[in-house]
Amino acid sequence: MQALAREMNLSETTFILPRDPAIEAKEGKKVRIFTVAEELPFAGHPTLGTALLLSASDSATDSRESAQVTLDLKAGKIPVHFTAKSENAGRKRVDGQVSAKCANAILNSE
């Protein structure tokens, strides 16, 4: 993964790892974050972007309603909540509010 992140040459690259659906339901989506030089335990923009992608690609979720995606990062489990704020929200458009409860994970990773 580090070699691929280096090759992509982006500020951060996320990898969503497959896991057993029962474990995923309990623990969340396994995600690792890399820069070109190292693996990061947590990074805000990649966390929110990855959660948004997973939420938008979940066909069982109607994005006009509240949804949550939990990411299992090196820093810990990060729940990301999506709340629609208008009638414009839907499968092809994100229009709402996003919040991540990550203060404990950040503090615990230091």
Side-chain angles (χ1 to χ4, degrees):
M1 286 183 271
Q2 182 65 65
L4 186 55
R6 191 175 298 114
E7 184 178 332
M8 300 306 298
N9 199 31
L10 300 170
S11 56
E12 297 103 7
T13 303
T14 62
F15 295 89
I16 304 166
L17 304 177
R19 62 183 355 172
D20 182 83
I23 294 172
E24 195 169 274
K26 181 180 176 186
E27 302 292 326
K29 300 278 189 179
K30 182 71 173 172
V31 176
R32 294 177 67 184
I33 305 169
F34 290 83
T35 67
V36 295
E38 65 184 333
E39 184 172 8
L40 302 176
F42 176 84
H45 289 106
T47 298
L48 295 177
T50 301
L52 181 62
L53 170 76
L54 290 168
S55 177
S57 65
D58 182 1
S59 59
T61 301
D62 184 348
S63 60
R64 289 176 299 230
E65 298 180 15
S66 295
Q68 176 178 310
V69 173
T70 300
L71 302 183
D72 185 6
L73 304 175
K74 290 275 186 185
K77 292 176 189 59
I78 310 295
V80 181
H81 303 272
F82 297 91
T83 304
K85 289 204 135 193
S86 77
E87 294 299 318
N88 293 328
R91 300 261 33 96
K92 295 182 180 178
R93 179 182 170 142
V94 177
D95 189 3
Q97 181 177 17
V98 178
S99 64
K101 296 180 181 178
C102 55
N104 288 338
I106 294 169
L107 293 174
N108 292 331
S109 70
E110 295 178 352

